[in-house]
Amino acid sequence: MPARRLPMSWLLAPLMAAPWLFAAEQLAFVDFEKFDLRALPPGWFASRPEDMSIVDEAGHGKVLRIIHKGNAWPHLQLTLDAAKVRGRTVRVSTLAKMPGAYQPRPDPKEGWARPRITMTCKNKEGQEQHAIDVAPQPNKPEWQSLAKHFTVHVEANDVRVAMRIDLVA
């Protein structure tokens, strides 16, 4: 039996990617009060801008809302300067909230259904490595702090961080 399409909505407060060192350099900080999805800064990519909006959230100001309408996997992605992160430990963090309850479906045979923050790296041969993959706890409708550390390989050529909702088939 084919899986049914599930509309999903996900709210995200500012995303930060920064090396986790004693004297850390902040590589990115998104202030959604000033962020314009129609005029993305250099290095940013929105896969399905029609599934995204900046909305007011009580107590958090402006946040990113991704509403999954059942098509592909909408995501907002930032490409990091690989030269700045090679061989260094990077910390990716954000606040996330799934309004209402959701139950992740991690099995691709059933159709994925899960929000997540990912960081991927490609080595010099172009092989992709999923460095960070973190998701909010299911059935917990309040804001959750999501953070993870990863040491980027010294030969990484392409490093990307994405806020996404996976394919819902």
Side-chain angles (χ1 to χ4, degrees), residues 64-79:
L64 172 67
R65 171 178 279 159
I66 301 174
I67 298 178
H68 194 295
K69 298 175 183 170
N71 302 313
W73 47 90
H75 63 279
L76 182 63
Q77 175 179 284
L78 171 62
T79 300

Side-chain angles (χ1 to χ4, degrees), residues 78-93:
L78 171 62
T79 300
L80 300 177
D81 182 347
K84 287 186 175 184
V85 296
R86 282 187 200 112
R88 298 180 73 185
T89 300
V90 175
R91 178 178 189 266
V92 175
S93 66

Side-chain angles (χ1 to χ4, degrees), residues 144-161:
Q144 299 175 48
S145 178
L146 305 179
K148 200 145 190 184
H149 299 87
F150 179 77
T151 301
V152 178
H153 192 274
V154 295
E155 294 181 346
N157 286 329
D158 185 35
V159 182
R160 298 169 190 231
V161 177

Side-chain angles (χ1 to χ4, degrees), residues 8-10 12 51-52 64-68 74 163 165:
M8 297 179 86
S9 175
W10 193 24
L12 293 140
D51 289 352
M52 300 176 201
L64 172 67
R65 171 178 279 159
I66 301 174
I67 298 178
H68 194 295
M163 299 171 280
I165 296 179

